[in-house]
PDB file of all heavy atoms in Angstrom:
ATOM      1  N   MET A   1      25.107 -13.692   3.006  1.00 45.00           N
ATOM      2  CA  MET A   1      24.842 -12.282   2.916  1.00 45.00           C
ATOM      3  C   MET A   1      26.132 -11.459   2.946  1.00 45.00           C
ATOM      4  O   MET A   1      26.140 -10.339   2.488  1.00 45.00           O
ATOM      5  CB  MET A   1      23.959 -11.819   4.077  1.00 45.00           C
ATOM      6  CG  MET A   1      22.608 -12.428   4.081  1.00 45.00           C
ATOM      7  SD  MET A   1      21.578 -11.542   2.960  1.00 45.00           S
ATOM      8  CE  MET A   1      20.010 -12.106   3.454  1.00 45.00           C
ATOM      9  N   THR A   2      27.184 -12.003   3.517  1.00 50.00           N
ATOM     10  CA  THR A   2      28.430 -11.253   3.519  1.00 50.00           C
ATOM     11  C   THR A   2      29.032 -11.297   2.135  1.00 50.00           C
ATOM     12  O   THR A   2      28.942 -12.283   1.416  1.00 50.00           O
ATOM     13  CB  THR A   2      29.420 -11.843   4.548  1.00 50.00           C
ATOM     14  OG1 THR A   2      29.553 -13.233   4.278  1.00 50.00           O
ATOM     15  CG2 THR A   2      28.941 -11.612   5.954  1.00 50.00           C
ATOM     16  N   GLY A   3      29.628 -10.205   1.748  1.00 52.00           N
ATOM     17  CA  GLY A   3      30.230 -10.140   0.429  1.00 52.00           C
ATOM     18  C   GLY A   3      29.222  -9.946  -0.684  1.00 52.00           C
ATOM     19  O   GLY A   3      29.544 -10.122  -1.847  1.00 52.00           O
ATOM     20  N   HIS A   4      28.005  -9.583  -0.347  1.00 51.00           N
ATOM     21  CA  HIS A   4      26.971  -9.364  -1.364  1.00 51.00           C
ATOM     22  C   HIS A   4      27.272  -8.055  -2.097  1.00 51.00           C
ATOM     23  O   HIS A   4      27.604  -7.059  -1.482  1.00 51.00           O
ATOM     24  CB  HIS A   4      25.601  -9.309  -0.694  1.00 51.00           C
ATOM     25  CG  HIS A   4      24.479  -9.228  -1.680  1.00 51.00           C
ATOM     26  ND1 HIS A   4      24.041  -8.028  -2.205  1.00 51.00           N
ATOM     27  CD2 HIS A   4      23.726 -10.191  -2.260  1.00 51.00           C
ATOM     28  CE1 HIS A   4      23.066  -8.249  -3.048  1.00 51.00           C
ATOM     29  NE2 HIS A   4      22.846  -9.551  -3.092  1.00 51.00           N
ATOM     30  N   PRO A   5      27.175  -8.049  -3.410  1.00 52.00           N
ATOM     31  CA  PRO A   5      27.421  -6.804  -4.154  1.00 52.00           C
ATOM     32  C   PRO A   5      26.390  -5.745  -3.773  1.00 52.00           C
ATOM     33  O   PRO A   5      25.303  -6.067  -3.327  1.00 52.00           O
ATOM     34  CB  PRO A   5      27.278  -7.223  -5.611  1.00 52.00           C
ATOM     35  CG  PRO A   5      26.522  -8.487  -5.593  1.00 52.00           C
ATOM     36  CD  PRO A   5      26.790  -9.147  -4.269  1.00 52.00           C
ATOM     37  N   PRO A   6      26.728  -4.471  -3.955  1.00 55.00           N
ATOM     38  CA  PRO A   6      25.769  -3.417  -3.630  1.00 55.00           C
ATOM     39  C   PRO A   6      24.498  -3.546  -4.457  1.00 55.00           C
ATOM     40  O   PRO A   6      24.523  -4.028  -5.574  1.00 55.00           O
ATOM     41  CB  PRO A   6      26.510  -2.125  -3.960  1.00 55.00           C
ATOM     42  CG  PRO A   6      27.796  -2.504  -4.583  1.00 55.00           C
ATOM     43  CD  PRO A   6      27.969  -3.973  -4.498  1.00 55.00           C
ATOM     44  N   GLY A   7      23.413  -3.093  -3.871  1.00 54.00           N
ATOM     45  CA  GLY A   7      22.122  -3.167  -4.553  1.00 54.00           C
ATOM     46  C   GLY A   7      21.152  -4.012  -3.760  1.00 54.00           C
ATOM     47  O   GLY A   7      21.485  -4.574  -2.734  1.00 54.00           O
ATOM     48  N   PRO A   8      19.936  -4.097  -4.225  1.00 67.00           N
ATOM     49  CA  PRO A   8      18.917  -4.828  -3.469  1.00 67.00           C
ATOM     50  C   PRO A   8      19.141  -6.335  -3.515  1.00 67.00           C
ATOM     51  O   PRO A   8      19.632  -6.875  -4.492  1.00 67.00           O
ATOM     52  CB  PRO A   8      17.614  -4.447  -4.163  1.00 67.00           C
ATOM     53  CG  PRO A   8      18.014  -4.027  -5.528  1.00 67.00           C
ATOM     54  CD  PRO A   8      19.405  -3.471  -5.421  1.00 67.00           C
ATOM     55  N   LEU A   9      18.745  -6.989  -2.417  1.00 85.00           N
ATOM     56  CA  LEU A   9      18.759  -8.445  -2.377  1.00 85.00           C
ATOM     57  C   LEU A   9      17.515  -9.007  -3.056  1.00 85.00           C
ATOM     58  O   LEU A   9      17.549 -10.077  -3.633  1.00 85.00           O
ATOM     59  CB  LEU A   9      18.782  -8.924  -0.926  1.00 85.00           C
ATOM     60  CG  LEU A   9      19.981  -8.517  -0.088  1.00 85.00           C
ATOM     61  CD1 LEU A   9      19.771  -8.965   1.346  1.00 85.00           C
ATOM     62  CD2 LEU A   9      21.249  -9.104  -0.651  1.00 85.00           C
ATOM     63  N   TRP A  10      16.419  -8.253  -2.953  1.00 91.00           N
ATOM     64  CA  TRP A  10      15.153  -8.705  -3.522  1.00 91.00           C
ATOM     65  C   TRP A  10      14.282  -7.490  -3.791  1.00 91.00           C
ATOM     66  O   TRP A  10      14.250  -6.546  -3.008  1.00 91.00           O
ATOM     67  CB  TRP A  10      14.451  -9.640  -2.544  1.00 91.00           C
ATOM     68  CG  TRP A  10      13.185 -10.229  -3.067  1.00 91.00           C
ATOM     69  CD1 TRP A  10      13.070 -11.376  -3.790  1.00 91.00           C
ATOM     70  CD2 TRP A  10      11.860  -9.711  -2.904  1.00 91.00           C
ATOM     71  NE1 TRP A  10      11.748 -11.595  -4.103  1.00 91.00           N
ATOM     72  CE2 TRP A  10      10.992 -10.591  -3.561  1.00 91.00           C
ATOM     73  CE3 TRP A  10      11.340  -8.594  -2.293  1.00 91.00           C
ATOM     74  CZ2 TRP A  10       9.625 -10.385  -3.608  1.00 91.00           C
ATOM     75  CZ3 TRP A  10       9.974  -8.381  -2.341  1.00 91.00           C
ATOM     76  CH2 TRP A  10       9.133  -9.282  -2.990  1.00 91.00           C
ATOM     77  N   THR A  11      13.585  -7.510  -4.897  1.00 90.00           N
ATOM     78  CA  THR A  11      12.582  -6.486  -5.188  1.00 90.00           C
ATOM     79  C   THR A  11      11.314  -7.178  -5.663  1.00 90.00           C
ATOM     80  O   THR A  11      11.376  -8.197  -6.349  1.00 90.00           O
ATOM     81  CB  THR A  11      13.036  -5.489  -6.276  1.00 90.00           C
ATOM     82  OG1 THR A  11      13.336  -6.215  -7.461  1.00 90.00           O
ATOM     83  CG2 THR A  11      14.240  -4.694  -5.837  1.00 90.00           C
ATOM     84  N   GLY A  12      10.210  -6.640  -5.264  1.00 91.00           N
ATOM     85  CA  GLY A  12       8.930  -7.201  -5.668  1.00 91.00           C
ATOM     86  C   GLY A  12       7.905  -6.100  -5.818  1.00 91.00           C
ATOM     87  O   GLY A  12       8.102  -4.969  -5.365  1.00 91.00           O
ATOM     88  N   ARG A  13       6.823  -6.455  -6.445  1.00 89.00           N
ATOM     89  CA  ARG A  13       5.799  -5.471  -6.756  1.00 89.00           C
ATOM     90  C   ARG A  13       4.456  -6.186  -6.844  1.00 89.00           C
ATOM     91  O   ARG A  13       4.380  -7.347  -7.227  1.00 89.00           O
ATOM     92  CB  ARG A  13       6.170  -4.832  -8.088  1.00 89.00           C
ATOM     93  CG  ARG A  13       5.329  -3.723  -8.537  1.00 89.00           C
ATOM     94  CD  ARG A  13       5.893  -3.228  -9.873  1.00 89.00           C
ATOM     95  NE  ARG A  13       4.917  -2.409 -10.516  1.00 89.00           N
ATOM     96  CZ  ARG A  13       5.045  -1.107 -10.685  1.00 89.00           C
ATOM     97  NH1 ARG A  13       6.130  -0.515 -10.293  1.00 89.00           N
ATOM     98  NH2 ARG A  13       4.113  -0.410 -11.258  1.00 89.00           N
ATOM     99  N   ALA A  14       3.423  -5.463  -6.525  1.00 88.00           N
ATOM    100  CA  ALA A  14       2.065  -5.957  -6.731  1.00 88.00           C
ATOM    101  C   ALA A  14       1.238  -4.790  -7.244  1.00 88.00           C
ATOM    102  O   ALA A  14       1.483  -3.638  -6.882  1.00 88.00           O
ATOM    103  CB  ALA A  14       1.476  -6.494  -5.431  1.00 88.00           C
ATOM    104  N   SER A  15       0.293  -5.093  -8.106  1.00 83.00           N
ATOM    105  CA  SER A  15      -0.549  -4.024  -8.636  1.00 83.00           C
ATOM    106  C   SER A  15      -1.994  -4.492  -8.724  1.00 83.00           C
ATOM    107  O   SER A  15      -2.282  -5.681  -8.683  1.00 83.00           O
ATOM    108  CB  SER A  15      -0.054  -3.574 -10.006  1.00 83.00           C
ATOM    109  OG  SER A  15      -0.116  -4.641 -10.912  1.00 83.00           O
ATOM    110  N   ASN A  16      -2.872  -3.519  -8.858  1.00 79.00           N
ATOM    111  CA  ASN A  16      -4.292  -3.795  -8.975  1.00 79.00           C
ATOM    112  C   ASN A  16      -4.861  -2.902 -10.074  1.00 79.00           C
ATOM    113  O   ASN A  16      -5.244  -1.766  -9.819  1.00 79.00           O
ATOM    114  CB  ASN A  16      -4.997  -3.525  -7.651  1.00 79.00           C
ATOM    115  CG  ASN A  16      -6.444  -3.939  -7.690  1.00 79.00           C
ATOM    116  OD1 ASN A  16      -6.991  -4.242  -8.742  1.00 79.00           O
ATOM    117  ND2 ASN A  16      -7.075  -3.959  -6.536  1.00 79.00           N
ATOM    118  N   PRO A  17      -4.921  -3.409 -11.299  1.00 75.00           N
ATOM    119  CA  PRO A  17      -5.418  -2.588 -12.398  1.00 75.00           C
ATOM    120  C   PRO A  17      -6.885  -2.188 -12.255  1.00 75.00           C
ATOM    121  O   PRO A  17      -7.314  -1.211 -12.849  1.00 75.00           O
ATOM    122  CB  PRO A  17      -5.201  -3.449 -13.639  1.00 75.00           C
ATOM    123  CG  PRO A  17      -4.812  -4.791 -13.173  1.00 75.00           C
ATOM    124  CD  PRO A  17      -4.468  -4.713 -11.732  1.00 75.00           C
ATOM    125  N   MET A  18      -7.653  -2.909 -11.452  1.00 75.00           N
ATOM    126  CA  MET A  18      -9.060  -2.561 -11.260  1.00 75.00           C
ATOM    127  C   MET A  18      -9.224  -1.214 -10.566  1.00 75.00           C
ATOM    128  O   MET A  18     -10.253  -0.567 -10.690  1.00 75.00           O
ATOM    129  CB  MET A  18      -9.792  -3.649 -10.471  1.00 75.00           C
ATOM    130  CG  MET A  18     -10.001  -4.926 -11.256  1.00 75.00           C
ATOM    131  SD  MET A  18     -10.930  -4.655 -12.781  1.00 75.00           S
ATOM    132  CE  MET A  18     -12.508  -4.196 -12.126  1.00 75.00           C
TER     133      MET A  18
END
Side-chain angles (χ1 to χ4, degrees):
M1 296 278 195
T2 53
H4 186 274
L9 298 175
W10 184 88
T11 58
R13 185 179 164 111
S15 62
N16 186 349
M18 289 302 293

